[in-house]
Amino acid sequence: MKGRITLALVLLALLAAGTAFAYHPRPDFSIARPLPAFQPERADSAHGFDVTRYEITLAVNDQTHFISGSVKAHVTAEENLAGIDYNLIGLTVSQVKVNDVASAFTHQNGILHISLTAAPGQQFTTEVSYSGTPSLSPPPYNLGMIFGSNTVFTLSDPDASRYWWPCYDHPWDKAIMDLHITLRSDWLVACNGLRDSITDNGDGTKTHHWLGSNPMAPYLACVTAGPYVEINQTCGALPIQNFVLPSQYNNALIDFSTLPEIIQFFSSVYGPYPFEKYGNTAVNMTTYGAMEHQTMTTLGNYLITGTHSGELTIAHELAHQWFGNCLTPLTFKDVWLSEGFATYSEFLWTHAKFGWQSACNYMQSSFHDYYISFENSNPSLPNIIYDPPFNYYFYPQSYEKAASVLHMLRLKMGNAAFFQLLQNWFAAYHNGNVVTAELQAMAEQLSGQDLDQFFEQWIYSRGIPEMDFYIFRGYSMIPEMRGLRVVGQTHCSTGTEFTCEVPFRIRFDSNAYDSLNVTASPGGQATTQYYYTMTEIGETDIQIDPNYWVLNRGYNLKKPVLTQALAGNGTVYLNWEAFPCPHPITGYRIQRKAEGSLIWQHIDPGPVSELWFTDTTAVNGTQYQYRITAVDADGFYSLPSNELSATPLAFPFDWGMLVVDETKDGTGAAITPDDATVDGFYAAALAPIPYTGWDYAALGAPSLSTLSHYPIVLWHADDFAQNQIGACLSTLGGYLMGGGKLVISGWKTPGSLSDSFTDLFLDGAAFVYDNGAVLIAALSDTYPQLSPDPDKLTAQWNGMLPMIYTFQSSGQALYTASMAAGAAGAGLPLAVRFDDPGTFVLFGFPLYFMQADGVRNLLQLLLPQLHSPLPASDATAAEPAPGLAVYPNPARGSVNISLGGKPSGQSSLKIYNAKGRLVATLDPAKAAGPEYHLTWKPQTSDGKDLPRGLYFIRLSEAGRVHTRKLLLVR
């Protein structure tokens, strides 16, 4: 279990409690027809000879770290040989014999070349005597014979056998191991195979003889020694020998107690345990978490806890005896055939011991999520299962990703065929070497499927797919037009084209469920299941891959997106995005329900081909919910869109003009004016036009019901650091739909308008933005020229205004931009007007920062054009002194209201709350005294106390309107 040290430590946190599950032994499936030889991959192992047995005789001094001994190899020539090469690094060869006769040799650059002559089929022996202090292999592995404070052990995977004994150090030449290891007499030695004897040499050393009976790859040979105690077990007739330090003994009794059960389980799933014994040794290792030496796994000390916390690692290493040891990858191109199978065995054992749901959770958290997190953190690594670079053999793509792929292969093949594959695979290549192509061939034979695409995308390519799903339901009495249709589409950032099968679980009513395997492909593939039901399926009724079968970067359930529901006078305008489904869409259906209703009703005459619809049957004052569905050619409906609410209402337009000040109260510096300065600027520019002021910072956004009273709205945002208008687009859209006239100016305000708002009310105008100080003047043939006010600008702007929007549009251009050379918007419209629906005037700059005379002359000309009841400009007319006064303000109790003069018979005095609702009506005729004042107790007309908040006191007389704010604090 190389490179996955932390996984087992969190086992208990990852496993949920589940019911017990037991695998039943499967029949001994017969081997399928002979497989192709796959010569291109098998050719990787061609080397002219076959080592059938190694006799290793080795003395180890644990104090000096000096080793000496010999290795006798039994070899069969496979072609005419003039010599043979072994691997040995860092140790000294003193003598070489061929058939027990001294032979010439060379030893350079880690290659021991022995001169000999052999014909094909001839058997011979070589014997190499050597000694020295073994070194470790270079980074990243740092392996070989490792001397600890109280142990000696070897780790050789992938190629470190050559650092402690001479051999043909490649996995495709497997041989039986016969080990004679001499060490201090108070230590035990654990090796591969069965222990034949322990001989006391009478000199403070003992020789331990271990003899294997099955061939193994050289990297699986092991020598582990220390002051161990033995724990012996059996699994049927199979001996189990474990070696731990005395301090670990009690904990090890607990942790190894399940070994026989795990061996029995894997034997039932894969086939009989393949070797003569099994065992474990415990050492203090740092490079790996554990190592699956054949018949004698080496475990890190941390795994021996007495709590079974390392049980999945123990199971993983045990599973290697089947996959990795008995079936050894031909080369490390196929290392996943070892590590992936052992990692998947963790899942199988979790299922057997803790139940299916716990196993599914383990698959998701420890395989799928773990690997995706790793790949996200290491995007530049190879991250490919087949043929990883040398330094990346034991990275998560060989473990977790490979285990996920095996799980998906199980889904694709089906349970019976998959588990038959495991047994047939193990039986067919018993004690041999395996390659990926042969696994694919056998899987295809057993499943009857073409698995080229599956292996290409998961094994030979990089990446993990993300998937979009589009759900369609057919509601009809006609069988061909009812049922469920799911369209699946895959995407992958690496460019790999994935086609995946994903399990769905669908709830059709409160107790009825169905399952469906959905295919997702790059082009989008439809999976249709026909059945009779009129039940509507919602998003909560759909579970995508509930048991985590498929490795993926996300499942996205796609629905249409309703972008706008703009309420007007007896109408609601709806707008939506085009549904980007790869399956052909013929139109959209619009559904509506009134507040409190549970029934959705279609309000269109049939599928709508446009991306908009106007509901002309809405009743003013009723709140409606709207949603849409996409419809395909067969009449199947998509999942419904998001829901938007709208309440159409009458637009009396009876209150004159509203001026909304979005600007926050600044510091008073040049480009951050305070509230009073901005208010004064617009009051002077608008006089004598009557208006009601609305301070956004104090009152928030005006509601549509408030705006409906004002036939014209001037909205200004003179603060470059914020824009609130983007949150008010539905309200402003509804206002325009109701026939309102809207004038907006501000710094960067056009950038806050949504595409859908722009498409509808600006006829899809394109915006051009200049961030630098480039605006010299706003020019017009109809309206007065506007120039920046240098007193309101910073010196570095050189009298020009920055952050300017110009427009490429079909609207009426009110102003064009005079800009500094090189500005993108030079000569383009700087202010535009659109008149359907409503009237919308948009300035690409803030009026406040232009010279006051020009702004006043513009507004005095423009506003009466937009709304004729407003008085036309009269430069000689003095601004009337305000007559309405309210005190105290803020008020806790009674309020004094001074009218400032005798009211006419046409006067009215009304109080509105911040939402524009009328809450009280007073009689101006009751005003008394020289200032014509009256006292009002803050109550409604029917005598109920008003809550704390902001109110507007509005006096209308002789065509003029005076409004004062009142803050009621109670």
Side-chain angles (χ1 to χ4, degrees):
M1 194 170 205
K2 300 156 287 291
R4 298 173 70 246
I5 296 175
T6 60
L7 184 61
L9 294 178
V10 295
L11 168 63
L12 295 181
L14 295 175
L15 294 181
T19 57
F21 179 90
Y23 272 90
H24 297 288
R26 291 174 176 78
D28 185 10
F29 298 110
S30 60
I31 306 302
R33 61 182 172 82
L35 294 166
F38 294 101
Q39 291 301 328
E41 293 192 35
R42 290 293 179 190
D44 292 338
S45 66
H47 56 290
F49 60 89
D50 176 25
V51 180
T52 58
R53 180 188 184 94
Y54 289 105
E55 298 176 15
I56 303 173
T57 302
L58 189 63
V60 180
N61 189 315
D62 68 291
Q63 298 298 313
T64 65
H65 301 178
F66 187 82
I67 67 174
S68 61
S70 65
V71 174
K72 189 171 188 175
H74 297 256
V75 187
T76 300
E78 294 178 328
E79 60 186 43
N80 288 316
L81 298 177
I84 190 171
D85 289 341
Y86 294 132
N87 304 102
L88 185 66
I89 296 177
L91 297 169
T92 301
V93 177
S94 57
Q95 185 181 53
V96 170
K97 294 180 180 180
V98 176
N99 292 329
D100 299 326
V101 176
S103 174
F105 68 92
T106 61
H107 187 197
Q108 296 177 337
N109 301 319
I111 300 297
L112 174 62
H113 178 76
I114 303 172
S115 299
L116 56 83
T117 301
Q122 182 179 344
Q123 296 181 351
F124 59 92
T125 63
T126 64
E127 185 173 354
V128 179
S129 298
Y130 69 107
S131 62
T133 302
S135 60
L136 298 181
S137 65
Y141 296 113
N142 305 301
L143 302 176
M145 182 170 284
I146 299 168
F147 292 87
S149 59
N150 64 344
T151 53
V152 175
F153 61 96
T154 60
L155 295 174
S156 304
D157 194 4
D159 66 344
S161 291
R162 65 193 68 185
Y163 286 88
W164 62 277
W165 65 286
C167 59
Y168 184 74
D169 194 10
H170 300 282
W172 55 78
D173 196 343
K174 301 173 71 171
I176 289 175
M177 300 291 171
D178 185 355
L179 296 101
H180 303 257
I181 307 301
T182 300
L183 259 155
R184 53 192 286 179
S185 59
D186 58 338
W187 281 12
L188 289 176
V189 176
C191 297
N192 316 97
L194 294 174
R195 185 171 57 198
D196 181 67
S197 63
I198 301 176
T199 302
D200 191 334
N201 300 315
D203 58 358
T205 67
K206 290 181 179 178
T207 299
H208 303 251
H209 181 204
W210 291 81
L211 177 61
S213 56
N214 292 276
M216 71 177 74
Y219 73 83
L220 294 171
C222 73
V223 173
T224 306
Y228 287 131
V229 292
E230 268 187 66
I231 298 175
N232 290 299
Q233 301 169 277
T234 60
C235 177
L238 178 73
I240 303 173
Q241 288 176 282
N242 303 299
F243 295 80
V244 298
L245 296 174
S247 61
Q248 300 172 310
Y249 181 80
N250 290 331
N251 286 341
L253 287 176
I254 297 171
D255 290 332
F256 293 147
S257 64
T258 56
L259 260 178
E261 183 184 358
I262 305 174
I263 292 172
Q264 288 176 339
F265 170 70
F266 286 152
S267 295
S268 73
V269 177
Y270 303 140
Y273 180 80
F275 302 130
E276 59 274 17
K277 81 146 196 316
Y278 187 62
N280 294 276
T281 61
V283 302
N284 184 25
M285 72 168 77
T286 57
T287 301
Y288 297 146
M291 175 59 208
E292 67 275 10
H293 296 122
Q294 189 159 310
T295 75
M296 186 60 75
T297 287
T298 305
L299 300 174
N301 280 333
Y302 77 94
L303 295 166
I304 310 301
T305 64
T307 64
H308 291 288
S309 63
E311 183 161 299
L312 286 189
T313 301
I314 291 172
H316 175 110
E317 305 308 328
L318 172 60
H320 269 304
Q321 305 305 312
W322 283 265
F323 303 110
N325 297 2
C326 186
L327 273 61
T328 306
L330 182 73
T331 71
F332 283 95
K333 293 179 180 180
D334 296 289
V335 65
W336 79 278
L337 295 176
S338 172
E339 298 300 348
F341 275 71
T343 305
Y344 190 62
S345 298
E346 299 172 25
F347 168 84
L348 295 178
W349 176 241
T350 301
H351 180 192
K353 187 167 185 178
F354 295 98
W356 176 247
Q357 190 57 56
S358 291
C360 292
N361 295 342
Y362 188 69
M363 174 64 64
Q364 178 70 358
S365 62
S366 297
F367 296 168
H368 295 343
D369 288 350
Y370 179 95
Y371 181 75
I372 289 173
S373 177
F374 165 79
E375 189 170 288
N376 289 345
S377 301
N378 301 275
S380 61
L381 294 185
N383 295 327
I384 191 169
I385 289 179
Y386 183 76
D387 195 15
F390 177 80
N391 287 357
Y392 301 98
Y393 287 165
F394 307 118
Y395 271 59
Q397 83 283 344
S398 300
Y399 291 79
E400 285 80 12
K401 185 178 183 182
S404 294
V405 170
L406 284 173
H407 197 50
M408 291 183 288
L409 181 62
R410 174 179 174 179
L411 173 68
K412 189 167 185 65
M413 295 180 65
N415 260 359
F418 177 78
F419 285 106
Q420 183 174 348
L421 170 67
L422 297 183
Q423 291 209 359
N424 286 16
W425 178 244
F426 176 65
Y429 294 97
H430 193 277
N431 277 339
N433 292 97
V434 291
V435 297
T436 299
E438 292 167 345
L439 178 70
Q440 177 182 340
M442 183 176 284
E444 289 178 341
Q445 291 172 1
L446 292 172
S447 67
Q449 301 177 46
D450 183 343
L451 298 176
D452 277 350
Q453 174 68 30
F454 182 91
F455 276 78
E456 177 61 34
Q457 67 195 20
W458 289 118
I459 302 297
Y460 299 111
S461 302
R462 297 178 66 243
I464 303 170
E466 182 178 357
M467 301 182 211
D468 296 336
F469 292 104
Y470 305 79
I471 311 295
F472 291 83
R473 274 283 280 116
Y475 307 95
S476 175
M477 298 301 293
I478 303 172
E480 291 77 14
M481 295 179 62
R482 65 180 183 235
L484 185 73
R485 175 170 292 152
V486 183
V487 179
Q489 187 171 34
T490 60
H491 313 272
C492 185
S493 60
T494 64
T496 300
E497 294 193 342
F498 282 87
T499 296
C500 301
E501 292 181 358
V502 181
F504 272 56
R505 190 168 188 254
I506 313 293
R507 182 174 61 190
F508 295 107
D509 57 42
S510 59
N511 296 310
Y513 288 84
D514 199 359
S515 59
L516 181 67
N517 266 9
V518 173
T519 300
S521 64
Q525 189 163 329
T527 303
T528 305
Q529 179 170 307
Y530 295 98
Y531 51 87
Y532 178 72
T533 178
M534 297 300 290
T535 305
E536 179 175 304
I537 294 177
E539 189 172 348
T540 58
D541 298 317
I542 300 168
Q543 299 176 34
I544 305 176
D545 196 8
N547 290 323
Y548 314 122
W549 282 95
V550 182
L551 176 64
N552 70 93
R553 289 192 171 276
Y555 297 131
N556 308 307
L557 196 56
K558 293 292 189 178
K559 303 183 297 181
V561 176
L562 185 61
T563 55
Q564 292 184 114
L566 305 178
N569 187 356
T571 62
V572 176
Y573 175 82
L574 305 172
N575 179 255
W576 54 89
E577 298 176 359
F579 193 41
C581 181
H583 181 65
I585 300 300
T586 59
Y588 302 87
R589 298 300 307 270
I590 293 85
Q591 296 177 321
R592 183 188 77 185
K593 68 175 182 178
E595 182 180 17
S597 173
L598 299 176
I599 306 300
W600 288 94
Q601 294 181 327
H602 286 110
I603 59 173
D604 54 72
V608 176
S609 58
E610 296 86 2
L611 299 178
W612 58 270
F613 180 81
T614 301
D615 178 9
T616 58
T617 64
V619 177
N620 284 340
T622 302
Q623 182 175 353
Y624 296 100
Q625 293 291 113
Y626 292 89
R627 70 185 190 184
I628 64 167
T629 58
V631 186
D632 71 6
D634 294 327
F636 279 64
Y637 291 73
S638 73
L639 288 179
S641 70
N642 57 306
E643 300 174 11
L644 292 181
S645 62
T647 305
L649 70 164
F651 281 66
F653 289 145
D654 55 351
W655 288 356
M657 184 168 72
L658 181 70
V659 177
V660 179
D661 177 10
E662 188 188 305
T663 311
K664 69 178 182 181
D665 190 16
T667 64
I671 60 173
T672 59
D674 58 34
D675 222 16
T677 302
V678 175
D679 289 346
F681 174 83
Y682 283 97
L686 292 170
I689 300 174
Y691 68 90
T692 298
W694 186 282
D695 190 319
Y696 194 106
L699 302 175
S703 66
L704 184 59
S705 62
T706 295
L707 295 182
S708 70
H709 289 278
Y710 296 95
I712 185 167
V713 174
L714 171 62
W715 187 304
H716 62 91
D718 306 300
D719 179 6
F720 67 86
Q722 70 174 8
N723 261 298
Q724 304 291 349
I725 204 166
C728 307
L729 296 182
S730 292
T731 299
L732 295 179
Y735 175 71
L736 290 170
M737 290 296 300
K741 298 175 175 62
L742 177 64
V743 180
I744 295 178
S745 85
W747 238 336
K748 302 187 291 186
T749 298
S752 297
L753 305 181
S754 67
D755 290 343
S756 57
F757 189 92
T758 301
D759 288 342
L760 180 57
F761 299 109
L762 291 171
D763 197 23
F767 300 158
V768 178
Y769 180 64
D770 283 283
N771 189 62
V774 294
L775 181 63
I776 299 171
L779 307 179
S780 175
D781 295 331
T782 305
Y783 301 101
Q785 177 176 320
L786 303 178
S787 300
D789 187 341
D791 293 337
K792 298 177 181 177
L793 310 180
T794 61
Q796 60 265 35
W797 289 349
N798 296 318
M800 293 181 285
L801 207 59
M803 296 175 283
I804 302 302
Y805 275 92
T806 50
F807 310 100
Q808 295 175 335
S809 75
S810 59
Q812 176 186 350
L814 306 186
Y815 281 95
T816 56
S818 173
M819 290 184 162
L828 292 177
L830 188 61
V832 290
R833 172 177 172 173
F834 292 84
D835 289 300
D836 184 25
T839 296
F840 185 22
V841 176
L842 178 62
F843 290 86
F845 60 96
L847 288 172
Y848 169 80
F849 287 91
M850 309 305 278
Q851 294 183 10
D853 288 346
V855 174
R856 174 176 168 77
N857 291 336
L858 161 66
L859 295 180
Q860 295 294 324
L861 182 58
L862 174 64
L863 296 179
Q865 291 176 345
L866 298 178
H867 185 57
S868 57
L870 294 180
S873 175
D874 180 358
T876 65
E879 181 181 358
L884 184 64
V886 179
Y887 57 93
N889 193 1
R892 295 183 181 275
S894 296
V895 178
N896 293 308
I897 302 173
S898 175
L899 306 185
K902 183 178 180 179
S904 69
Q906 302 297 320
S907 299
S908 68
L909 186 61
K910 298 181 178 181
I911 292 91
Y912 297 86
N913 64 17
K915 294 183 178 180
R917 293 192 176 95
L918 179 66
V919 296
T921 300
L922 307 181
D923 184 359
K926 294 182 178 180
E931 295 297 327
Y932 290 92
H933 76 272
L934 49 80
T935 301
W936 171 59
K937 186 176 182 181
Q939 293 179 331
T940 62
S941 297
D942 58 0
K944 295 179 181 179
D945 289 340
L946 291 172
R948 60 186 298 175
L950 190 67
Y951 295 87
F952 295 89
I953 300 176
R954 184 181 181 88
L955 174 66
S956 300
E957 59 175 356
R960 296 183 182 276
V961 178
H962 304 277
T963 303
R964 292 293 180 265
K965 302 173 186 175
L966 169 66
L967 182 61
L968 190 61
V969 295
R970 291 296 185 190

